[in-house]
Amino acid sequence: MEYLDFEIPVKELEAQIEKAKILQQESDTDMSKNIDELTARLVKTRKDISKKLTAWQRVQLSRHPNRPYTLSYINAMTEGNFLELFGDRGVKDDKAMIGGWGMLGKESVMFIGQQKGVNTKMRQYRNFGMANPEGYRKALRLMKMAEKFNKPVVALIDTPGAFPGLEAEERGQGEAIARNIMEMARLKVPIICIIIGEGASGGAIGIGVGDRVLMLENTWYSVISPESCSSILWRSWDYKEVAAEALKLTAKDMLKNKLIDGVISEPLGGAHVNPIEMFETVRKTILSELRKLKKLPPEKLVEQRINKFCEMGVFNG
Amino acid sequence: MGWFKRSKDGITTNTVDKKETPEGLWHKCPKCKVIVSVDDNKANLYVCANCGHHGRINAKEYFQILFDDGKFTELDADLVSQDPLKFEDTKKYADRLKSTIAKTGLNDAVSSAYGKLNGKDITIAAMNFNFIGGSMGSVVGEKIARAMDHSLKHKIPFLMISKSGGARMMEAAFSLMQMAKTSAKIALLDDAKIPYISLLTDPTTGGVTASFAMLGDINIAEPNALIGFAGPRVVKETIGKELPEGFQTSEFLVEKGFLDFIVERKDLKKKITQFLTAVE
């Protein structure tokens, strides 16, 4: 387990509990009272930390090295009943964007989502979750397939941005994202989008137009990352904390501004502390939302979706 | 040895005594530096007669060029931004807005209007780059959406003239959602079989490229415009190399298959008419 700077008190308590457990085993002395007390303190510490989380700390949690990624969610939620599909039928298969058919109980669902890597080698293989145009086109191909077979789409979003490379430009990154947004707006099946980590700008909204757009508690979603915002508006990398506050990028703020439809609670301490619990919460949320959405005829669904996005924005006059 | 000798040191001329070239009479091409009169520049549609450089112009100039006899009715001119996030970087967004409105005489980075183009009814929305880099916030998204609504309601073609650095950071996720709003409206135009022409001009990048600018029935561009998703500086940093000559220009995008053709400003009205006649 890795720890962020503000998680250090947790780390110390966990180490003490671990020590007490070992001592109990080795010396056959009853440490249970001690362990209970430490565990209570651990819970309290976690509660105290999560109560005081700043916007920047939530950004850090959204990138926590132990945070579960898209495929972990899908594999857990479908209990391994997942048929992954590959390729955009034009250029290649983008490893930063995954997708395929999964079963949520009796419900057949088309999953799409950005995938980050779990170690250095895999991070490179997955291009750090930054999709190229072919990734967005692969996602669109799969969404169209879902529409053809009248099955819902679930998009799990976790990206530091669409890849800003030379070939991405040559192959039309802007066009690929634009087309996805337009086609998602009028797709005739239910779409649920969930930000499970980072929701960076065009890279996120490129698979982010849904009947329900939900954010996990410790994620961020905005037009730019706090670091880049700091660099552009303050002309320095040192204002990322200030930028994170100013951008109002947390789940709570996004809901308050009516730019998302709901917040999904994370286990105490964050998704990485108890991934199993997290997967189960997300699975239940998807199923309960799908039950509601499936009652709507496709025309109504599309109309409501388009109207929802058309109402976003604040102005005078 | 000079011919003239300075008899007094440190001679200066008072500002009032200086003979300045009067403002607003001459225009210097930013590319080839050739100077012409402002009137000649306007008569040549703000295109350099020497090198063909297409000068950056605002919505009002495009409206003059495109609408018959320069006659049009503007839509939603009064919409102004509300600063929903009370955003502040080195300067308050509210102050930035106030000073930009005063300086440009515009209310935001897009203007929209309807009128006739070679006798055909049309709605046009065009961006103003001098308003915070033509960036898209709530007002830009809403005005474009409403202009498209005008086209939908009257079943007339829609022309979008893009010129923007992308989404407006000071409105954060509100800006981001304008990509969804405008693109969703284009889906409605598309379903209603209403022609949508997207003209990309220098520069068109970021969230504008990744939404309405790339979704035309035809995407066309003025010559040598910068068009891309990521800005050239970001791409350069990503690849850690110099960018190839002509990267992210209109000509590059035509070659890569993302534009239908390049159009010089003098031919713009004719080409649009040609397309509209073909599809009506």
Side-chain angles (χ1 to χ4, degrees), chain B residues 74-253:
Chain B
E74 192 169 351
L75 292 162
D76 309 301
D78 298 335
L79 283 200
V80 286
S81 177
Q82 220 188 61
D83 186 17
L85 304 176
K86 303 277 165 278
F87 196 92
E88 186 174 355
D89 46 83
T90 51
K91 200 174 168 182
K92 278 188 182 154
Y93 175 45
D95 294 343
R96 209 185 283 268
L97 279 169
K98 228 181 271 168
S99 65
T100 310
I101 289 169
K103 197 177 74 195
T104 60
L106 298 162
N107 278 337
D108 215 304
V110 76
S111 306
S112 51
Y114 64 91
K116 287 193 188 293
L117 186 150
N118 280 339
K120 296 175 195 297
D121 284 308
I122 192 166
T123 322
I124 306 178
M127 303 187 81
N128 304 306
F129 193 73
N130 61 347
F131 197 101
I132 318 187
S135 56
M136 169 165 63
S138 297
V139 172
V140 169
E142 182 67 18
K143 281 178 85 166
I144 292 172
R146 288 191 192 181
M148 289 179 188
D149 280 340
H150 186 269
S151 271
L152 272 169
K153 190 176 160 198
H154 299 278
K155 301 203 181 334
I156 57 173
F158 182 72
L159 166 66
M160 179 73 224
I161 303 175
S162 298
K163 185 189 290 289
S164 168
R168 189 173 296 167
M169 264 176 283
M170 302 81 160
E171 290 188 34
F174 282 102
S175 302
L176 185 67
M177 297 309 159
Q178 305 311 309
M179 294 168 68
K181 180 193 281 188
T182 52
S183 305
K185 285 282 183 207
I186 295 168
L188 296 180
L189 286 177
D190 192 49
D191 289 346
K193 301 203 187 306
I194 289 169
Y196 167 38
I197 301 166
S198 172
L199 171 69
L200 295 84
T201 69
D202 183 63
T204 299
T205 57
V208 168
T209 305
S211 60
F212 55 84
M214 275 291 164
L215 293 173
D217 290 307
I218 55 169
N219 299 328
I220 59 181
E222 289 187 342
N224 203 38
L226 170 74
I227 302 166
F229 172 65
R233 194 177 54 84
V234 176
V235 179
K236 198 176 142 184
E237 277 171 18
T238 306
I239 62 170
K241 284 193 288 215
E242 286 301 314
L243 299 171
E245 183 76 25
F247 182 64
Q248 292 184 318
T249 57
S250 314
E251 292 71 14
F252 174 88
L253 267 89

